[in-house]
Amino acid sequence: AQTIHQWPVAEIKAVGSPLSLGCTIKGKSSPNLYWYWQATGGTLQQLFYSITVGQVESVVQLNLSASRPKDDQFILSTEKLLLSHSGFYLCAVQANTEVFFGKGTRLTVV
Amino acid sequence: QQQVRQSSQSLTVWEGETAILNCSYENSAFDYFPWYQQFPGEGPALLIAIRSVSDKKEDGRFTIFFNKREKNLSLHIKDSQPGDSATYFCAASASSGSWQLIFGSGTQLTVMP
């Protein structure tokens, strides 16, 4: 079974500062990977997906970007954080039709 | 326009009762419907899923009833326990086209002891 490691667990960042969140997948080669965002008490919104190294598709524009530098790694970043970026960021991996989520990163922008 | 709709934001049941969580969808192309359980501060966990070729899927105390004609489904949690208290998300995806998993807004279930 695959494992999903997200880092950091939580971040408190200032408006206008840069951000980088990471996700590493173990136990599955060439996985489809996803970034989701969840506002406090809200639903899950898919942000990006990637089916292979170097290829990332954006689902919704939130002034964020994503990259897949390695087969097992997915990075979410921005150069300038907004207050609206606060929330819970989840990395997910697809195994057949099933999607499994990591433990998430709690981001607070102040 | 919400593609996946969960009619109840919250639901409270007593321990031992059957909790029924409802979900409906708009897109006829959706053919895979997972339910996720999420506890505060954690990522959602896949609970049970059904494909549109079936009308029922059972796994222990959890059962999905699916109505393709009406475009709705429900999750039944039999013999509810306080440990089942969590937020439950209905989701949907289509096997054709770009792959996205669309989530409903979630139902917060509270099981009272």
Side-chain angles (χ1 to χ4, degrees), chain A residues 34 36 38 43 46 97 99, chain B residues 32 36 38 51 99 101 104:
Chain A
Y34 305 86
Y36 281 81
Q38 185 179 32
T43 188
Q46 188 173 328
T97 50
V99 173
Chain B
Y32 174 70
Y36 285 83
Q38 186 178 31
R51 292 189 173 279
W99 201 88
L101 190 56

Side-chain angles (χ1 to χ4, degrees), chain B residues 49-110:
Chain B
I50 193 167
R51 292 189 173 279
S52 58
V53 293
S54 303
D55 55 16
K56 181 181 174 182
K57 177 77 176 289
E58 194 169 349
D59 185 356
R61 295 187 296 113
F62 302 93
T63 303
I64 299 174
F65 292 93
F66 179 72
N67 187 324
K68 188 172 182 177
R69 189 172 58 88
E70 299 292 329
K71 292 187 191 170
N72 61 45
L73 59 157
S74 59
L75 173 69
H76 292 225
I77 306 174
K78 204 167 33 177
D79 187 24
S80 295
Q81 302 297 309
D84 295 330
S85 297
T87 300
Y88 292 81
F89 290 95
C90 172
S93 68
S95 52
S96 58
S98 67
W99 201 88
Q100 276 195 64
L101 190 56
I102 309 295
F103 282 81
S105 54
T107 296
Q108 188 170 345
L109 174 68
T110 303

Side-chain angles (χ1 to χ4, degrees), chain B residues 7-8 12-13 16 18 24 33 36 39 41-42 46-47 55 58 66 69 81 91 96-98 101 103-104 112-113:
Chain B
S7 52
S8 300
T12 300
V13 299
T18 296
S24 61
F33 303 88
Y36 285 83
F39 295 104
E42 297 183 10
L46 179 62
L47 191 62
D55 55 16
E58 194 169 349
F66 179 72
R69 189 172 58 88
Q81 302 297 309
S96 58
S98 67
L101 190 56
F103 282 81
M112 302 292 288

Side-chain angles (χ1 to χ4, degrees), chain A residues 47-95:
Chain A
L47 302 177
F48 298 95
Y49 70 92
S50 171
I51 60 173
T52 192
V53 174
Q55 189 176 337
V56 176
E57 300 294 330
S58 171
V59 176
V60 64
Q61 288 295 328
L62 280 181
N63 293 307
L64 294 166
S65 60
S67 64
R68 187 160 174 187
K70 299 182 194 176
D71 187 54
D72 63 351
Q73 198 173 76
F74 207 15
I75 306 295
L76 183 71
S77 59
T78 183
E79 292 187 3
K80 205 176 254 192
L81 278 166
L82 307 171
L83 283 174
S84 57
H85 286 137
S86 291
F88 199 37
Y89 288 85
L90 292 148
C91 179
V93 60
Q94 184 181 354

